[in-house]
Amino acid sequence: MQKTQAVASLGQHRLMLPAWVKAALSANDRLKVYLTVLQSASSHASHPHRAMPDLSKEIAAAGLNTVWLHDLAAVARRVDEDLFIPDLTRLIKCIEEDLATMARPVLETTPQAEEPHRRVQHRLEWLGALARDRLSDQQLEELTHGRRGEGDSLHLLVMDLHKKINKLAGELASEVIAGANVWELQPQDRPRVAAFMRGLNRTSGLKFDHPGLDTAATRDGERLLIQNDIGTNDAHVLVIQVAGHAITLTYSDLHRVRLEFFQLLLQPFGAQWSGLESHSNAELNQGAAYSVGTAQFDCADDAAVETALEGIGSRIVFLIDWNRARKRLQAFVEKVDAIAILAEVARLDIGHRAWLQVGGERLVFAAMQAAGEGAFRIGDRLDEVIGAADAHAFLVAVMRLACDALRRGQPAALVADETRMLLAQHVRQRSSEFDLLAEHASYCQALAQAVSDGLAHGAERSGKAAAELAARSKAWERKADHLVMQAREKAERQPRWRPVARLVEQSDDVADALEEAAFLISLIADHHLKGWDDHVRKVLARLAATVLQATQDQVKALAIARTLGGNSEAVDNDAFLRATWRVLQAERQCDALLRDARRVILGAVHDAPSLMLANDLAATLELASDRLLVAAYALRDLAFDKAGVRG
């Protein structure tokens, strides 16, 4: 129908337009599946030995023939650098028909001279001229790529048409339910739309001045359809189908990591996900195209359906600007921690949009700059200075401050001031050098515990158990090394850290010795147990247990040392001295146990490799006790200096 004809028969046009829009939305679902199948075919042809993603639920949700489309992708192969697809003609015909169906409501309401007519006509002619059974890489790109600024494509055309159709749907609405534009609903649909909007409206204010979250709903046969545009991104769309007590949610996103985050958000509401996100879809189209995920909610009754819909609606706002917030947070914490922070502020119904709106990362950088001389240097990351846990708590608190301030209409400058004060508190709490020492000592204790437990439970008799012990110990020893590097970096800019750096370097000798002991156990487990008996095992186990007790006493001494000072009680001083004295006693006991161990080992083990390794293990455990003694004396000096004791 031409534009002039549409105007001439406006009444009939308005009656027909809802049906065209409904058909266009269904065609959009099918077109997205066709493009995904093409991407899957390309990936399979390039890597035929890799497992193909299971698209059956996505295909079925769009009302298509699962077997045909799956087989189309499965038989694709590369021929003369082209993508060969035997049934390509059928697929292109389907694409042409659904593109025409999808474009119809847009073209019927747009003047003939405007862009959509030209783009649709060009793409239909281009599709008609394609070869019957093969696509070049350039043609595949023109079908599937979704990158703005790199030329037009069918994918981009579909996204643009979808955007216009959503706008049309809003204009066509015959009713508004809690802000959702709806038409042609049945009585049972209204409470379900209301439930979705109840959740959406409860949290939608957290987007603040960002556009998005427009919702439309209609009925298509046996299904209630609910659509939400989320934000302004072309490919960022959510479609919900409700049939009986089953909910099917289809979500598209340019960022796979955000799709995975949405999966996490919907777990509490019973979402069962399938589709590309769980089948390495990053390989499809070189990771440039949008990702699509499908979730199924199987509900027991109407009340459960409404509860799930309300939960889904309440989580959508936390997707707006999510990737931007994640990237900003990664200036201060690791990627996994940034995602954990965003998950927590979503759980707390705080969100990240307020933080971005009042300054985002600039707030934190300004607070770091104002924290005082020596607290932060250029290039320092927040979690490396105050610790990952404190950085997480601080950033969540800042997002809460921003959210509360915007809700109350308070200025961004107030949030900046509160952020500086909050960071100053965290820096003061973390400024104690004993925090780093205590963390390092805890790794030494964990290493000693692992070695002691390994010998007590016969890890040397199991290659697997011994290998796991060695790997676990190596990981802890590396983390302890990282703390040594932190202490050295702090000592370079803050003189008060220099004795701490020396102490942690001495303590690291303990970690090195214990990690070496775990490694020796793994060597012994590699068929070097000849001559070992209960006496050998028991004497080595006693040696390891004594070292463990010494590491525990060192941890206690550190805990007490942080409280020592001018106002400390005499009982604290005594407790500190007793703990360090027990480390000294342990070293003397280990000296004696080493001699006992050598006597027992020489009497029982006659195989040269087994003898050497058993003796090395005993000597290494005794070496750990020696290094603990050195660290204990250094700790005494540091604690006495802190308490103002000279001697």
Side-chain angles (χ1 to χ4, degrees):
M1 181 184 293
Q2 301 298 316
K3 180 67 176 175
T4 53
Q5 294 173 299
V7 173
S9 56
L10 185 60
Q12 183 179 3
H13 174 271
R14 282 296 177 186
L15 289 173
M16 293 298 297
L17 199 53
W20 293 341
V21 168
K22 185 185 300 181
L25 293 174
S26 296
N28 173 68
D29 291 342
R30 293 191 293 271
L31 283 166
K32 287 183 178 179
V33 169
Y34 296 147
L35 294 179
T36 301
V37 169
L38 275 173
Q39 292 169 333
S40 181
S42 175
S43 179
H44 176 67
S46 300
H47 307 285
H49 300 298
R50 295 182 184 177
M52 287 183 57
D54 181 6
L55 304 177
S56 56
K57 289 191 176 181
E58 288 79 358
I59 294 171
L64 294 168
N65 186 311
T66 304
V67 175
W68 168 62
L69 287 170
H70 181 273
D71 289 347
L72 181 142
V75 299
R77 62 184 185 273
R78 287 283 173 180
V79 176
D80 298 330
E81 297 186 357
D82 289 340
L83 177 63
F84 178 78
I85 305 176
D87 214 0
L88 180 63
T89 301
R90 180 180 177 184
L91 179 65
I92 296 301
K93 181 66 174 176
C94 292
I95 291 174
E96 288 176 323
E97 292 175 354
D98 279 328
L99 178 59
T101 300
M102 187 177 183
R104 182 173 187 178
V106 175
L107 300 184
E108 294 287 353
T109 55
T110 304
Q112 182 72 31
E114 292 190 7
E115 183 186 46
H117 290 271
R118 178 186 58 77
R119 287 180 71 192
V120 171
Q121 184 61 34
H122 167 73
R123 192 53 61 187
L124 287 171
E125 292 173 356
W126 181 84
L127 287 166
L130 290 175
R132 297 174 59 87
D133 56 8
R134 67 183 60 204
L135 293 170
S136 68
D137 287 343
Q138 178 60 36
Q139 290 170 333
L140 184 66
E141 274 283 292
E142 277 205 61
L143 283 165
T144 61
H145 91 75
R147 302 178 295 276
R148 298 288 178 184
E150 298 185 20
D152 201 7
S153 70
L154 175 65
H155 181 176
L156 290 172
L157 176 58
V158 168
M159 289 194 293
D160 290 341
L161 290 173
H162 194 191
K163 202 170 184 179
K164 292 179 180 295
I165 292 165
N166 283 339
K167 184 178 179 182
L168 270 177
E171 295 171 352
L172 287 169
S174 58
E175 183 181 355
V176 177
I177 298 178
N181 296 308
V182 306
W183 68 95
E184 297 183 3
L185 295 187
Q186 294 186 3
Q188 67 268 30
D189 298 330
R190 287 180 171 80
R192 295 179 170 183
V193 174
F196 176 81
M197 294 305 296
R198 187 161 56 248
L200 188 79
N201 292 332
R202 178 167 63 81
T203 58
S204 62
L206 296 174
K207 70 184 178 72
F208 294 99
D209 66 356
H210 197 285
L213 301 187
D214 294 333
T215 303
T218 188
R219 174 159 281 273
D220 180 18
E222 298 299 317
R223 306 176 300 169
L224 165 66
L225 298 182
I226 302 173
Q227 286 197 115
N228 187 277
D229 69 354
I230 303 179
T232 57
N233 186 288
D234 295 325
H236 204 192
V237 179
L238 180 146
V239 179
I240 298 171
Q241 303 176 27
V242 187
H245 294 148
I247 301 172
T248 302
L249 179 150
T250 304
Y251 173 68
S252 64
D253 200 322
L254 290 172
H255 305 289
R256 183 185 176 203
V257 65
R258 181 166 54 186
L259 191 152
E260 293 169 348
F261 178 78
F262 194 40
Q263 288 180 299
L264 181 68
L265 291 187
L266 295 189
Q267 277 182 358
F269 309 109
Q272 299 295 320
W273 288 86
S274 65
L276 295 181
E277 75 289 347
S278 59
H279 291 85
S280 301
N281 70 304
E283 296 179 2
L284 302 181
N285 198 28
Q286 295 76 50
Y290 66 87
S291 301
V292 179
T294 302
Q296 188 77 23
F297 301 77
D298 296 317
C299 305
D301 50 32
D302 289 342
V305 170
E306 292 177 19
T307 297
L309 288 171
E310 182 175 350
I312 294 167
S314 72
R315 300 299 90 188
I316 297 174
V317 72
F318 303 115
L319 300 174
I320 293 178
D321 259 353
W322 182 89
N323 207 52
R324 180 181 163 211
R326 176 183 64 83
K327 290 179 178 178
R328 301 298 191 272
L329 286 171
Q330 284 176 224
F332 311 109
V333 296
E334 296 280 3
K335 178 180 177 180
V336 65
D337 294 322
I339 294 173
I341 289 167
L342 293 171
E344 183 169 353
V345 294
R347 181 181 61 80
L348 296 172
D349 282 354
I350 296 169
H352 52 268
R353 270 292 308 144
W355 177 65
L356 290 174
Q357 191 161 319
V358 299
E361 73 281 9
R362 296 193 304 276
L363 288 177
V364 182
F365 282 131
M368 292 170 69
Q369 187 175 5
E373 183 179 356
F376 294 95
R377 292 185 305 177
I378 295 174
D380 278 348
R381 205 172 63 189
L382 185 67
D383 60 350
E384 294 174 345
V385 176
I386 68 172
D390 272 9
H392 178 108
F394 166 74
L395 291 166
V396 169
V398 171
M399 290 188 181
R400 184 187 292 279
L401 289 173
C403 184
D404 291 344
L406 287 190
R407 280 172 164 171
R408 296 168 185 165
Q410 295 171 334
L414 177 61
V415 182
D417 289 342
E418 291 176 330
T419 300
R420 286 195 291 271
M421 292 176 61
L422 185 62
L423 183 58
Q425 293 172 8
H426 279 271
V427 169
R428 284 196 299 272
Q429 291 168 2
R430 190 71 181 185
S431 65
S432 172
E433 300 87 337
F434 287 96
D435 287 334
L436 187 144
L437 291 170
E439 188 173 357
H440 190 281
S442 70
Y443 283 122
C444 291
Q445 181 181 341
L447 284 161
Q449 185 76 62
V451 171
S452 180
D453 288 348
L455 288 171
H457 296 97
E460 76 281 355
R461 291 175 291 197
S462 167
K464 180 181 178 183
E468 290 175 353
L469 169 63
R472 191 164 64 250
S473 298
K474 187 62 180 177
W476 286 334
E477 188 265 338
R478 284 175 178 168
K479 290 181 178 180
D481 281 345
H482 184 66
L483 293 174
V484 175
M485 290 186 285
Q486 283 187 38
R488 288 171 178 164
E489 290 171 1
K490 291 177 183 291
E492 288 177 4
R493 64 171 184 261
Q494 294 176 300
R496 64 184 175 86
W497 274 88
R498 289 171 187 166
V500 177
R502 287 194 295 270
L503 173 53
V504 79
E505 286 170 352
Q506 292 166 328
S507 299
D508 204 51
D509 291 337
V510 180
D512 290 342
L514 290 168
E515 188 275 329
E516 177 68 12
F519 173 68
L520 288 169
I521 292 173
S522 71
L523 289 181
I524 292 166
D526 191 17
H527 310 297
H528 297 300
L529 276 169
K530 296 176 182 177
W532 274 56
D533 57 20
D534 286 343
H535 297 296
V536 173
R537 291 188 179 92
K538 286 179 181 178
V539 72
L540 289 172
R542 283 200 303 274
L543 189 52
T546 306
V547 175
L548 171 60
Q549 182 61 54
T551 62
Q552 292 169 341
D553 286 324
Q554 183 77 343
V555 169
K556 291 175 185 176
L558 275 164
I560 300 167
R562 74 168 62 232
T563 68
L564 297 180
N567 297 321
S568 59
E569 298 289 340
V571 65
D572 294 331
N573 299 335
D574 291 343
F576 173 74
L577 293 173
R578 285 197 301 272
T580 55
W581 182 252
R582 286 195 296 271
V583 177
L584 171 62
Q585 291 177 313
E587 190 274 337
R588 292 175 177 173
Q589 291 171 14
C590 287
D591 281 346
L593 284 169
L594 174 60
R595 294 175 181 179
D596 292 343
R598 282 174 169 163
R599 186 175 293 109
V600 171
I601 292 168
L602 285 169
V605 181
H606 304 292
D607 174 68
S610 301
L611 177 63
M612 179 191 71
L613 290 172
N615 181 66
D616 286 352
L617 176 57
T620 302
L621 289 170
E622 194 276 334
L623 176 63
S625 73
D626 288 344
R627 297 294 183 255
L628 269 167
L629 179 60
V630 173
Y633 276 123
L635 175 60
R636 281 165 61 100
D637 292 341
L638 184 64
F640 288 162
D641 183 64
K642 179 185 177 187
V645 178
R646 299 290 183 268

